[in-house]
Amino acid sequence: RDATEAADQAVERDPDEVGAEGCARRKEQRKWKEQLPGVLNNLATHYLRIKEFGKANETWIEALHVDPERADTLVGMATLRCETGDVEGGEELLHIATALDSFHVKGLT
């Protein structure tokens, strides 16, 4: 009887979150959240290439909000800083990126 009541309560809370459909949706949401920083980095890099520096910066900041420890986001921001004349700011961001992921960033510095 307790298991039946627990199942009924779960369905009452949110029927979409119970069962295979809810599980599939949560899995898709996790997948999207994992991919989002990479998508934002690609978009920001595109903005950098077409000299839309403000949009590039905003997009990289958004990527940092999603995953603040992603080194390639910081490398992109460092590139932007250097492109806009803030070499010291770029170097600082590269140091932070290297501290987060020295294996992948070391070859870029």
Side-chain angles (χ1 to χ4, degrees):
R1 180 163 191 216
D2 292 336
T4 303
E5 289 176 4
D8 289 342
Q9 288 174 353
V11 171
E12 288 173 8
R13 282 194 300 261
D14 189 351
D16 291 333
E17 294 298 318
V18 177
E21 288 181 24
C23 182
R25 186 171 61 245
R26 286 190 304 277
K27 186 176 179 181
E28 186 66 28
Q29 288 170 342
R30 279 193 305 272
K31 181 180 173 187
W32 172 244
K33 185 168 179 154
E34 290 170 5
Q35 293 175 349
L36 183 59
V39 171
L40 291 171
N41 280 333
N42 289 338
L43 180 60
T45 300
H46 169 74
Y47 286 140
L48 177 65
R49 287 183 180 142
I50 63 171
K51 308 288 187 204
E52 291 282 347
F53 299 131
K55 288 182 180 180
N57 190 55
E58 290 173 14
T59 306
W60 270 311
I61 289 171
E62 187 176 347
L64 277 178
H65 286 295
V66 176
D67 186 353
E69 295 186 8
R70 190 170 169 124
D72 58 336
T73 301
L74 294 168
V75 170
M77 293 180 82
T79 304
L80 173 64
R81 298 295 182 273
C82 291
E83 284 282 322
T84 57
D86 181 11
V87 176
E88 286 182 23
E91 287 177 348
E92 184 178 328
L93 287 170
L94 282 177
H95 289 297
I96 295 168
T98 303
L100 289 172
D101 187 355
S102 63
F103 180 76
H104 291 101
V105 177
K106 199 168 204 163
L108 299 174
T109 58

